[in-house]
Amino acid sequence: MKPHYHVITLFPEMFTALSGFGVSGRALRNGLCDLKLWDPREFTQDAYRTVDDRPFGGGPGMLMLAEPLDLALTAAKTALRAAGVDQSRMVYLSPQGRRLDHALVLELATEPGLILLAGRYEGIDERVFQRHPLEEVSIGDYVLSGGELPAMVLLDSVIRHLPGALGDADSAKEDSFADGLLDCPHYTRPEDYQGLKVPPVLLSGNHAAIRRWRLKQALGRTWQRRPDLLQDRRLSPEEQDLLDEFRRAQEA
Ligand SMILES: Nc1nonc1C(=O)NCc1ccc(Cl)cc1
């Protein structure tokens, strides 16, 4: 059952960045999932197709009107029900949301349908949240000009976990956050680039030694750059030994 992704956005053309390229483009082209964009402007009833207005109580900028968003969200829900998807998670992208992380990506990748609301301007009328069970999700603590790029970030990371999306399934498993560690260094040809060599173990053909080297590097990097990730991750005896080796080499 392929998942159906619906996005409410004033700038549907932006989503060619997701649908037109790479893993996500191929997944959509191959029908692993589908993507439908809903423009709130299509749900306006005035001659000027108004989607925004000034905030009550004053203040700078404009807000998105409730009605076009409410109608677009309802249309997306109706389309999903027609496709046999009764319960879809509804997500509003905003800096006020739950931080998107590997765990949430994995959760969302199991959903048969997602409805994403990408806002623009200074925000949306609060009553949209009273009419739809929207979960707020943030891709990080910074302010962007709209929810479209965050929506594409979320969908790109989710699509990579759909069966068949990645040619060599292992690369998803190898994804650093899959095993709770940062990624190891990577090398390809030439063996000598501007006098800079490739670690000999990677040329040795000794796959056990290569696996250990990569694991040691991933553990060492995680310890150096993201020690917080090691708080949540138990280390096997082998991993603890490799990290100790890495740290001893750092202190030498
Ligand atoms: N950081 C983030 N993580 O998710 N979203 C963001 C973000 O900055 N959105 C900008 C934004 C969101 C809603 C509206 Cl109405 C306008 C602009």
Side-chain angles (χ1 to χ4, degrees):
M1 163 71 161
K2 73 172 172 183
H4 301 268
Y5 302 132
H6 292 240
V7 186
I8 313 310
T9 172
L10 288 171
F11 299 133
E13 306 92 326
M14 284 182 73
F15 286 79
T16 53
L18 187 77
S19 59
F21 305 86
V23 168
S24 53
R26 193 172 54 245
L28 286 161
R29 192 172 63 252
N30 292 345
L32 268 55
C33 54
D34 65 35
L35 175 66
K36 181 152 176 52
L37 306 165
W38 303 83
D39 184 347
R41 219 174 280 281
E42 304 297 320
F43 295 87
T44 55
Q45 277 132 10
D46 66 307
Y48 303 95
R49 295 162 48 94
T50 311
V51 292
D52 64 324
D53 202 340
R54 295 167 49 240
F56 280 125
M62 304 288 271
L63 297 173
M64 297 184 87
L65 289 166
E67 186 176 56
L69 293 177
D70 183 11
L71 294 174
L73 286 163
T74 303
K77 267 185 198 171
T78 304
L80 275 162
R81 277 203 201 96
V85 181
D86 281 336
Q87 292 301 324
S88 302
R89 275 174 88 163
M90 303 183 78
V91 171
Y92 174 61
L93 288 306
S94 98
Q96 285 70 45
R98 168 185 173 186
R99 176 65 72 86
L100 182 69
D101 60 9
H102 185 62
L104 180 52
V105 168
L106 290 181
E107 271 183 45
L108 296 172
T110 65
E111 292 290 334
L114 292 177
I115 298 176
L116 307 183
L117 173 53
R120 280 273 156 175
Y121 304 107
E122 302 311 309
I124 69 174
D125 188 297
E126 186 67 14
R127 288 164 290 186
V128 174
F129 296 103
Q130 293 170 254
R131 302 257 309 160
H132 299 276
L134 286 155
E135 306 170 47
E136 291 197 62
V137 172
S138 168
I139 63 165
D141 294 337
Y142 36 81
V143 178
L144 300 167
S145 309
E148 283 81 11
L149 290 172
M152 285 190 261
V153 164
L154 182 152
L155 288 174
D156 183 86
S157 63
V158 164
I159 288 170
R160 291 172 59 81
H161 287 280
L162 298 181
L166 293 177
D168 166 8
D170 290 347
S171 50
K173 264 206 301 294
E174 297 258 327
D175 264 0
S176 46
F177 280 83
D179 60 10
L181 300 175
L182 299 186
D183 212 356
C184 62
H186 299 289
Y187 296 83
T188 185
R189 288 179 299 172
E191 291 186 22
D192 181 325
Y193 176 68
Q194 300 284 338
L196 302 174
K197 308 282 195 295
V198 172
V201 65
L202 297 181
L203 310 174
S204 71
N206 177 342
H207 296 288
I210 290 166
R211 186 193 72 80
R212 262 198 321 281
W213 180 87
R214 287 175 169 161
L215 181 52
K216 177 176 171 181
Q217 294 300 316
L219 286 159
R221 270 183 167 190
T222 309
W223 169 69
Q224 285 176 323
R225 303 181 192 184
R226 291 292 308 275
D228 58 298
L229 292 176
L230 290 181
Q231 298 301 328
D232 314 337
R233 192 179 185 290
R234 276 188 319 285
L235 298 185
S236 69
E238 177 193 39
E239 289 170 336
Q240 191 57 61
D241 289 347
L242 289 170
L243 180 52
D244 293 343
E245 254 178 65
F246 183 97
R247 293 170 67 167
R248 276 199 297 276
Q250 294 293 308
E251 280 137 20

